[in-house]
Amino acid sequence: MQPALIKNDFLPDFCNGQTVFNAVLLAESLALILTIVGKQITGDLFRDLLLVSLFVQWIAIFSLAVLCYLRPWLNRLTPLRAGIIAYLLLVGITLLCGELAMWVLWAVGSNPVLHPEWYRYFQLQNLALAVIIDGLALHYFLSRHQLKLSTAAEARARMQVMQYRLRPYFLFNSMNIIASLTRSSPSQAEEATEDLADLFRLMLDEKKSLIPVNKEMSVASKYIRLEKMRFDNRLTDTWKTEHFPLHARMPVLMLQLVLEIAIRQSLEKTSEPVEITISTVLDDGNMNLTVCSHQLRSPEQIEQEEQEALNNIRERLITHYENRATLSLQTNNNGQCIHLAIPVYEGTE
Amino acid sequence: MRILIVDDENLARQRLRDLIGDIGDHTVVGEALNGSEAIEKTITLKPDLLLMDIRMPVMDGLEAAMHLMGINNPPQVIFTTAYDQHALEAFEVNAVDYLLKPVRKERLASALQKASPVSTSALKQVNKAQEEPSVRTHISVHMRGRISLIPVNDIIYFVADNKYVTVRTTREQHLIEESLVSLEEEFGDNFLRIHRGALVNTKYLKGMEKNQLGHWRVLLEGVDEKLSVSRRHTPAVRRWVRR
């Protein structure tokens, strides 16, 4: 994703068609209200409306043009400053337009003097209206813009979560394996397709966040089966499992993600055969899931290269268990290990 | 064409073999499981073209291709990859051929037809565009059509001298045509600049001493030579030695 396209600018784009249209529409509504509620000017309601519209639209368009032109500069300031300056500019523009209107009226001869006696009242009226209307309009455009930005940010975050779950590299590699197996071993291809389908069903399920541990283990073993096909006979897996309580649950696909890290940090780094041991031990109210291999690289190397994946797991543990669950990298007689400790019967969705 | 297939996954190699068989006109002369095997087999089997995966253990495809570009009549290379959202654009821009897995027969056929040679600079650009650009594990030295690969871990220092850079290991030394600046850029994590013309592997840095003239020199493990440290780099080197 290109960060340049989604800059979080405080002020919206005032030059874009939709904004201009909205502003003109707002201005016209204002003109209509002013004409109906305000004092009569010429005696003819339609001529009044025309006159007021002309004046209000003039201010609106001029304001848009100035904001459009100054936006790049304003967006470099802090939001508070940009907002205040934009607001003062708008009020200033209204007063300036009031003054210009006087000059026009004087120039066409409709006003005998440049500043007739009602000039001060007229500008006072403009100032009062500008202070209120510009404030409201600015607020409207800003909140619309903020809403758009936050929706975009949300969509982006969801997208990232999806990508994280789906892991495209794994998807396309598996597809490639299946394509290859359809020729050499159709029955294996069939099995691989089924395993992949099961995995993807879970990956796509946004509602499930905690699943029974038994189910997670069965999915993890399907995942291992797919990776074994990919790495020929280089991968062997040993499971030392103790039975967990039937209803114990854990974050979905977390064991699978740990296995994936283990595979990336062993099989993808060496050409040697790799043995992975998966053990589960229940003690002290904690489920301990440990993935170990002698071919796994050192904790420092893993911590460095898999930072993103490890952080993802740690964040998810915090959401579900606060600080009662841990992920750690350790060494024991099974080699280098990635260790998950999760409290049984706990965790919020 | 005579083709060498390079991929660490058996089934991926098998698929390419099947597809090449279907297309006809070409022969698969061999298979290699990683980049360094690809280099060896390219030298012995002399294929016209390599179909090479990018992500492989030991040595990845891009590095292997970079080393191979220095030999006489280097083979053409078409890369294969399952997924890489960052590098693909760089492949396009630098006209480096690539195929996405699962590879389609038609795409493979047309790629084989119009395969064109790549340049080292294009490969470097592609490498830079990757999410985690790979740092070469070896430096290649070309001599009369032979390549010898020197593991970067074994290199004690690079010293620049006119057009060439001297690469020194405990046992041997070679001349390569690369710039010290680009070497420092690539291996800066493990190598320290001690002089305008010298990069030293920090692993072999033993200490430093002053000679009679009051100039600082570094002591290196594995060689008796002492390299002089320029005044500008003295503080940085001293910081390293103290650690």
Side-chain angles (χ1 to χ4, degrees):
Chain A
M1 218 165 292
Q2 302 231 321
L5 294 176
I6 22 169
K7 264 178 37 191
N8 283 355
D9 286 336
F10 174 66
L11 290 175
D13 182 8
F14 290 99
C15 334
N16 108 359
Q18 169 136 37
T19 312
V20 173
F21 179 73
N22 283 347
V24 167
L25 212 64
L26 276 178
E28 197 49 48
S29 326
L30 177 65
L32 198 64
I33 294 168
L34 286 179
T35 316
I36 296 169
V37 182
K39 306 192 284 216
Q40 289 198 352
I41 309 169
T42 57
D44 181 348
L45 201 62
F46 284 102
R47 285 197 58 183
D48 278 6
L49 179 61
L50 202 68
L51 216 59
V52 175
S53 302
L54 200 65
F55 183 56
V56 174
Q57 292 293 3
W58 189 14
I59 296 176
I61 305 276
F62 193 27
S63 302
L64 282 175
V66 169
L67 285 181
C68 169
Y69 182 72
L70 289 181
R71 176 173 175 257
W73 174 74
L74 284 170
N75 269 335
R76 257 180 274 150
L77 306 174
T78 61
L80 182 68
R81 275 203 194 151
I84 290 175
I85 294 181
Y87 182 56
L88 291 179
L89 268 174
L90 291 179
V91 174
I93 287 167
T94 311
L95 292 179
L96 187 68
C97 285
E99 182 65 32
L100 280 174
M102 288 297 109
W103 282 79
V104 170
L105 288 177
W106 177 71
V108 299
S110 138
N111 273 1
V113 284
L114 187 55
H115 291 150
E117 73 276 19
W118 51 270
Y119 167 74
R120 288 182 63 182
Y121 178 72
F122 172 64
Q123 281 294 52
L124 204 66
Q125 209 178 17
N126 286 345
L127 181 68
L129 278 171
V131 165
I132 299 168
I133 305 289
D134 285 338
L136 286 176
L138 207 56
H139 177 73
Y140 165 74
F141 283 114
L142 282 181
S143 26
R144 249 179 77 100
H145 182 57
Q146 292 305 327
L147 185 70
K148 226 192 228 165
L149 285 185
S150 67
T151 333
E154 222 168 84
R156 220 159 46 236
R158 279 169 62 98
M159 185 66 192
Q160 268 166 6
V161 170
M162 278 304 270
Q163 285 223 335
Y164 214 88
R165 284 181 151 204
L166 286 172
R167 265 144 299 151
Y169 189 79
F170 167 67
L171 167 66
F172 292 113
N173 257 323
S174 304
M175 298 277 202
N176 194 40
I177 291 170
I178 293 170
S180 181
L181 285 171
T182 34
R183 289 186 189 222
S184 54
S185 165
S187 66
Q188 263 190 307
E190 194 180 348
E191 201 184 42
T193 314
E194 290 159 0
D195 285 349
L196 195 61
D198 282 347
L199 260 166
F200 269 76
R201 224 184 298 285
L202 271 191
M203 287 176 176
L204 287 167
D205 192 340
E206 281 184 64
K207 282 189 228 95
K208 279 199 198 103
S209 52
L210 293 175
I211 61 164
V213 179
N214 299 336
K215 189 161 180 204
E216 173 73 16
M217 304 253 258
S218 99
V219 168
S221 70
K222 285 172 189 162
Y223 166 71
I224 291 274
R225 202 150 61 192
L226 281 166
E227 292 289 35
K228 274 170 126 170
M229 285 183 191
R230 212 179 119 202
F231 293 103
D232 314 327
N233 303 316
R234 275 215 293 141
L235 172 61
T236 41
D237 55 332
T238 316
W239 294 70
K240 295 178 186 162
T241 52
E242 202 172 275
H243 276 296
F244 285 151
L246 209 58
H247 298 292
R249 297 189 307 163
M250 66 176 289
V252 63
L253 294 173
M254 192 169 273
L255 178 58
Q256 188 263 335
L257 185 51
V258 167
L259 285 169
E260 200 175 311
I261 295 171
I263 283 172
R264 264 205 299 271
Q265 293 299 326
S266 56
L267 282 150
E268 288 190 13
K269 301 292 177 191
T270 154
S271 295
E272 307 297 312
V274 170
E275 189 185 343
I276 288 184
T277 314
I278 301 114
S279 60
T280 61
V281 178
L282 186 68
D283 88 290
D284 230 7
N286 269 333
M287 300 184 278
N288 294 283
L289 298 129
T290 320
V291 174
C292 299
S293 174
H294 287 289
Q295 288 79 17
L296 207 59
R297 303 209 302 165
S298 74
E300 295 79 42
Q301 282 169 317
I302 298 181
E303 195 72 57
Q304 193 186 347
E305 272 195 30
E306 301 287 347
Q307 219 171 39
E308 209 181 318
L310 294 175
N311 284 346
N312 181 288
I313 295 179
R314 288 187 177 126
E315 273 165 30
R316 280 170 67 198
L317 287 176
I318 290 172
T319 9
H320 296 303
Y321 308 97
E322 285 166 25
N323 51 11
R324 298 189 302 280
T326 53
L327 167 80
S328 54
L329 302 176
Q330 37 188 250
T331 313
N332 68 21
N333 52 5
N334 286 322
Q336 314 282 2
C337 305
I338 307 176
H339 176 245
L340 272 175
I342 298 173
V344 204
Y345 297 134
E346 277 187 54
T348 42
E349 289 278 342
Chain B
M1 250 187 297
R2 305 172 72 250
I3 300 172
L4 178 71
I5 297 176
V6 190
D7 199 309
D8 58 323
E9 297 171 21
N10 177 28
L11 288 168
R13 293 194 302 272
Q14 186 55 49
R15 174 157 175 80
L16 289 175
R17 227 178 226 288
D18 289 343
L19 294 180
I20 292 167
D22 288 354
I23 295 166
D25 303 338
H26 305 284
T27 38
V28 176
V29 292
E31 290 181 1
L33 274 61
N34 60 50
S36 49
E37 248 188 72
I39 294 176
E40 281 168 34
K41 296 211 169 162
T42 302
I43 303 294
T44 52
L45 301 170
K46 298 194 173 56
D48 305 310
L49 182 137
L50 265 60
L51 275 172
M52 182 149 64
D53 189 25
I54 296 176
R55 272 168 69 161
M56 286 181 294
V58 188
M59 185 192 286
D60 71 25
L62 283 171
E63 180 176 352
M66 282 185 214
H67 293 314
L68 281 171
M69 287 313 116
I71 65 172
N72 293 332
N73 303 318
Q76 293 171 347
V77 179
I78 299 173
F79 291 99
T80 60
T81 180
Y83 179 81
D84 192 331
Q85 60 175 339
H86 299 277
L88 290 190
E89 205 176 322
F91 275 99
E92 300 275 358
V93 171
N94 294 289
V96 178
D97 291 330
Y98 71 92
L99 294 168
L100 287 172
K101 293 181 190 176
V103 175
R104 276 172 186 276
K105 198 199 295 178
E106 308 86 70
R107 284 276 295 122
L108 176 62
S110 77
L112 290 177
Q113 224 161 42
K114 58 177 206 280
S116 53
V118 272
S119 68
T120 315
S121 65
L123 292 168
K124 277 190 182 155
Q125 293 297 326
V126 172
N127 186 32
K128 258 190 223 155
Q130 287 200 106
E131 198 168 0
E132 293 160 15
S134 65
V135 173
R136 275 180 291 170
T137 54
H138 293 76
I139 294 285
S140 48
V141 178
H142 302 275
M143 296 171 293
R144 283 169 256 113
R146 308 265 321 148
I147 305 184
S148 62
L149 293 175
I150 307 165
V152 174
N153 278 334
D154 294 356
I155 296 173
I156 301 171
Y157 63 72
F158 294 107
V159 170
D161 134 56
N162 288 328
K163 204 176 151 216
Y164 297 100
V165 168
T166 307
V167 182
R168 182 80 165 95
T169 68
T170 7
R171 276 171 291 122
E172 47 198 340
Q173 77 177 34
H174 298 280
L175 292 179
I176 56 170
E177 273 183 88
E178 289 192 56
S179 81
L180 215 56
V181 177
S182 69
L183 289 168
E184 187 180 15
E185 209 174 273
E186 189 171 355
F187 303 113
D189 285 349
N190 300 316
F191 282 72
L192 185 69
R193 178 80 82 140
I194 61 157
H195 192 273
R196 197 162 50 89
L199 270 180
V200 169
N201 192 339
T202 50
K203 210 171 85 176
Y204 295 94
L205 207 55
K206 227 169 29 179
M208 58 199 296
E209 60 167 37
K210 235 178 200 168
N211 67 2
Q212 294 98 326
L213 298 167
H215 294 150
W216 284 103
R217 297 187 305 175
V218 289
L219 309 172
L220 298 163
E221 224 160 292
V223 283
D224 294 331
E225 248 175 292
K226 293 164 188 165
L227 296 181
S228 51
V229 182
S230 73
R231 193 169 305 156
R232 190 153 75 87
H233 294 96
T234 309
V237 179
R238 192 177 298 156
R239 237 174 290 140
W240 239 103
V241 171
R242 284 219 188 111
R243 286 221 310 232

